[in-house]
Amino acid sequence: MDKALALPEILACISNMLDNNNIISCMQVCNAWRTEFEPRLWRSFTLKQLGPDDMGVQPNLALLQKNAYHIRSLVIEHMDPTLQDFFTQCKQLDEVKFDVQEVDDGDIWNRFSDMIDNHGRLRKIVINSVPWPMTNKVLETMERCPKLIVLETKMAELDVAATQLYLRLCSKNLRRLSTWDDDYDHPEFPEDLIFQEMRYLDICHANGISMDKQLTWLSRCPNLISFRWEPGNGYVDVAKLCTILSGGTCPNLTALHLLVTVADDDIAQILEAAPMIEKLSLPRTEFGVLSMNALRRHFPTLRDINLQFCSKVTSPMVQEILRSCANLQSISAESLAHSDIIQHPWACRNLQMFDVGIDVVDETGDDDPPMSHFKEVYQRLGQLTDLNYLSICSENQADTDSRDPIKVSLEAGFDELATLRKLTFFSCKTLLNSDDPSEGFKVVEWMVEHWKRLETFEASTLAGVRGDIGDDGNTTKPDAMDLLRDHGVTFSAFFSPGLDYDDDDDVDYYDGDAWTEQSDYEDDGYDMDDFATYDHYGPIDFSSDDEYADQYAQYMQLQYMGLE
């Protein structure tokens, strides 16, 4: 047994299941374990911009240089000239994020150019809100990175020459481009400018590029798989977009994400012109009857659909999607009624994400529906055994009393969800009974007992999960917060603008509208309701990087003292 634990293959499997603190503990077992686990600790690293009170937090230069070879992902918040040798020693870098906000000394872009010029392995570069115009040199240097396939820029400023260099760079080997709120200067798209390798194109608030030229950009991507578009002016040239989609220009396009207000008849035209769609995101649009009619031809291929905040989407529409799309893996919508749920079984038995508010209205007109109605809904949800994300309350339900949401209690049949053994995220927002904290505690107690993979629970702090506080300031009843913490489950506090909250410095409230301000529509701690709807990289694999890069410096400074 002892020899087995010394095998690198066994230790590698073990390290994949550990967080940074556990890895550091393993490194103190013996020299062999330290040799094996140390590279894992350095896979991702952040050079933070430190304040006067943070001196000594970051490891010294010798320690950085010693472990530079192990770093695969590097975030740069501070471009210290003394670290140039360290940069050149990061020979195994796969991705780098440039997020420097310090005062420019006139040489920041040059130092960044010199750094990436020495790394032929780079596959991904992110430039995030760097407050100085991009130089020709840095763009030419990126163009020389032979393996660069992912580029993300946010709030980049490009003059006329830099704009053309940027487009030329994108036309080389890039497979994934995200441009967010970048400023371009009179871009030109000559006939020979073709983005042959581009598979995933995100154009969001591209300032300085007209609607016509943005669509020209799309038409020059013959192998495109996914197009995400958020025009800054809120206007879409539907006729030209349909011409591109129907003309065979992008025959492989299977993912379409339109983050702009589009009328029902315009959506219908777009869906009729598009190739067979697998992933569709139309949040905050006027998706309605005409759009639904056009969507039906895509039912055989549809895998993910996001219809959040679409006021014209009805419960029967959502039910039809669930009972007709056998390949569906993810759905987000506003509401689904019990009366529709029980009409037909769902075809999508492999669903992984369900983010739909449940309405349970008693058709007899009584104030309270019978408990059997709630149980029928939970039984149907319990059949989705592949679910890893479940949200049963929409923001509209959380903000208004006009709906009749599902009850979250064991008495109502919540325990029918015991079959959801793969669940990692659950949200009921404001639905826990705030009048009876003991009922909320029972639900939480049941969750941590039956959902062993649960990582995050989202609910309102008003919803009876904190226990009662006595006159002495102590909790007089069991506190579900402590129970969640003891089982390693993160509590995500849902904040509804329609409710009153006491100030609480211990809770970071979730703003229901915050998702509209995010640059990346992907999971960032499960705070956004559109988790897993967007494939950020598609088939490009950037796995195995630890999620706690911004804490590495502090971990190492505090823990390495006993390891030197």
Side-chain angles (χ1 to χ4, degrees):
M1 182 64 180
D2 292 342
K3 292 183 178 180
L5 290 177
L7 293 173
E9 297 83 359
I10 301 297
L11 293 178
C13 291
I14 294 173
S15 65
N16 287 333
M17 297 181 285
L18 303 178
D19 61 21
N20 291 332
N21 283 323
N22 289 329
I23 288 177
I24 290 170
S25 298
C26 289
M27 288 170 59
Q28 300 179 65
V29 172
C30 61
N31 288 334
W33 278 39
R34 175 175 176 170
T35 300
E36 184 62 35
F37 283 106
E38 188 171 32
R40 292 278 177 175
L41 193 65
W42 286 85
R43 279 189 179 275
S44 298
F45 189 80
T46 296
L47 284 167
K48 299 185 73 66
Q49 174 65 54
L50 303 178
D53 297 332
D54 298 321
M55 299 306 295
V57 172
Q58 193 152 276
N60 59 46
L61 182 59
L63 187 60
L64 291 174
Q65 292 175 330
K66 174 184 175 182
N67 292 280
Y69 185 82
H70 302 312
I71 298 176
R72 301 293 188 271
S73 176
L74 180 64
V75 179
I76 303 173
E77 297 180 3
H78 177 53
M79 201 69 178
D80 192 327
T82 63
L83 297 175
Q84 205 65 28
D85 289 341
F86 161 70
F87 292 144
T88 61
Q89 293 170 1
C90 298
K91 299 294 186 182
Q92 300 298 311
L93 271 184
D94 288 325
E95 56 184 90
V96 61
K97 179 178 180 180
F98 194 48
D99 194 13
V100 176
Q101 304 296 318
E102 61 198 45
V103 177
D104 185 8
D105 61 2
D107 206 33
I108 291 289
W109 281 121
N110 286 337
R111 290 202 296 273
F112 182 68
S113 299
D114 293 340
M115 174 203 161
I116 61 177
D117 203 22
N118 291 310
H119 298 288
R121 289 173 51 95
L122 271 178
R123 295 189 297 164
K124 176 185 176 184
I125 295 177
V126 178
I127 297 177
N128 184 43
S129 305
V130 178
W132 319 288
M134 293 185 71
T135 63
N136 293 353
K137 178 180 178 179
V138 73
L139 290 163
E140 291 168 346
T141 304
M142 286 193 286
E143 190 175 351
R144 291 195 298 270
C145 295
K147 295 187 177 181
L148 184 64
I149 55 177
V150 177
L151 176 64
E152 299 179 14
T153 57
K154 180 179 180 181
M155 299 180 69
E157 184 178 343
L158 304 116
D159 61 20
V160 174
T163 293
Q164 293 308 126
L165 286 172
Y166 183 95
L167 293 175
R168 190 178 74 184
L169 162 66
C170 295
S171 70
K172 297 299 182 179
N173 298 318
L174 283 191
R175 296 183 64 190
R176 168 76 165 86
L177 172 68
S178 175
T179 170
W180 179 275
D181 207 15
D182 294 329
D183 287 323
Y184 300 90
D185 194 341
H186 299 91
E188 297 294 335
F189 290 83
E191 292 296 329
D192 60 347
L193 186 63
I194 306 296
F195 305 86
Q196 190 71 33
E197 301 300 322
M198 193 71 68
R199 302 297 191 270
Y200 304 86
L201 177 62
D202 297 356
I203 302 178
C204 301
H205 298 276
N207 306 308
I209 303 184
S210 66
M211 169 72 63
D212 183 69
K213 288 186 176 180
Q214 290 184 44
L215 288 173
T216 297
W217 197 344
L218 169 64
S219 69
R220 301 290 181 82
C221 303
N223 294 303
L224 199 66
I225 294 173
S226 173
F227 182 49
R228 176 182 159 209
W229 195 25
E230 186 173 359
N233 58 8
Y235 162 72
V236 174
D237 187 339
V238 175
K240 183 169 183 177
L241 177 59
C242 290
T243 299
I244 294 172
L245 294 177
S246 63
T249 304
C250 304
N252 301 320
L253 189 73
T254 58
L256 184 61
H257 312 299
L258 298 180
L259 298 128
V260 59
T261 301
V262 189
D264 187 22
D265 58 337
D266 289 337
I267 297 172
Q269 294 180 53
I270 293 170
L271 292 177
E272 289 168 356
M276 297 301 287
I277 294 295
E278 296 180 8
K279 298 174 180 289
L280 181 65
S281 302
L282 297 167
R284 298 186 187 273
T285 62
E286 297 182 10
F287 187 104
V289 174
L290 298 176
S291 303
M292 189 67 185
N293 291 338
L295 180 65
R296 291 188 178 97
R297 64 179 283 259
H298 300 279
F299 278 178
T301 56
L302 196 62
R303 290 173 49 204
D304 299 331
I305 186 165
N306 183 349
L307 298 174
Q308 284 186 315
F309 308 106
C310 296
S311 59
K312 295 183 179 180
V313 173
T314 64
S315 174
M317 291 180 185
V318 177
Q319 170 66 11
E320 183 179 355
I321 293 171
L322 289 167
R323 70 180 178 86
S324 304
C325 301
N327 295 312
L328 197 68
Q329 295 181 354
S330 170
I331 184 169
S332 298
E334 286 301 291
S335 65
L336 178 60
H338 160 265
S339 56
D340 293 314
I341 291 174
I342 62 174
Q343 294 297 319
H344 301 280
W346 293 342
C348 51
R349 292 304 181 90
N350 296 321
L351 202 68
Q352 297 176 18
M353 172 184 173
F354 182 95
D355 184 2
V356 184
I358 303 294
D359 285 330
V360 183
V361 181
D362 185 13
E363 292 79 8
T364 65
D366 293 339
D367 291 337
D368 295 320
M371 286 295 178
S372 60
H373 286 192
F374 302 121
K375 189 168 185 177
E376 287 172 341
V377 173
Y378 284 124
Q379 286 174 340
R380 179 62 60 86
L381 292 173
Q383 296 173 0
L384 305 175
T385 55
D386 284 338
L387 277 184
N388 54 58
Y389 182 110
L390 175 60
S391 176
I392 56 175
C393 179
S394 69
E395 287 187 28
N396 285 334
Q397 288 176 318
D399 289 343
T400 179
D401 295 330
S402 62
R403 303 283 184 92
D404 295 278
I406 191 170
K407 289 186 177 180
V408 179
S409 70
L410 298 181
E411 181 186 7
F414 189 80
D415 55 355
E416 295 288 342
L417 302 181
T419 53
L420 307 184
R421 297 183 180 89
K422 298 180 182 180
L423 207 64
T424 60
F425 174 92
F426 175 69
S427 172
C428 62
K429 296 183 174 68
T430 58
L431 299 189
L432 278 182
N433 187 353
S434 58
D435 296 328
D436 186 1
S438 63
E439 183 63 39
F441 181 84
K442 291 176 183 178
V443 171
V444 173
E445 187 176 41
W446 182 94
M447 287 194 302
V448 297
E449 179 181 352
H450 291 85
W451 294 340
K452 301 300 184 182
R453 298 187 184 182
L454 189 66
E455 298 174 359
T456 304
F457 170 50
E458 181 187 61
S460 167
T461 55
L462 299 182
V465 294
R466 298 201 127 198
D468 288 345
I469 306 299
D471 295 336
D472 60 355
N474 296 318
T475 301
T476 59
K477 290 186 178 180
D479 192 334
M481 292 285 198
D482 292 335
L483 187 62
L484 291 167
R485 190 179 302 110
D486 292 344
H487 286 79
V489 179
T490 300
F491 178 77
S492 179
F494 173 79
F495 172 75
S496 170
L499 298 175
D500 293 328
Y501 292 81
D502 295 329
D503 291 336
D504 192 332
D505 295 335
D506 296 330
V507 176
D508 293 327
Y509 292 118
Y510 163 53
D511 183 351
D513 292 327
W515 72 276
T516 61
E517 302 171 0
Q518 297 291 333
S519 61
D520 294 326
Y521 285 78
E522 60 174 339
D523 168 45
D524 65 342
Y526 302 115
D527 280 347
M528 292 187 293
D529 284 339
D530 52 343
F531 162 68
T533 302
Y534 302 90
D535 276 353
H536 206 54
Y537 307 117
I540 305 169
D541 182 16
F542 289 108
S543 59
S544 80
D545 292 318
D546 281 310
E547 299 175 354
Y548 307 100
D550 59 339
Q551 300 178 27
Y552 274 21
Q554 186 171 1
Y555 280 137
M556 293 169 188
Q557 178 66 20
L558 297 177
Q559 301 292 339
Y560 265 67
M561 295 176 180
L563 300 175
E564 293 296 334

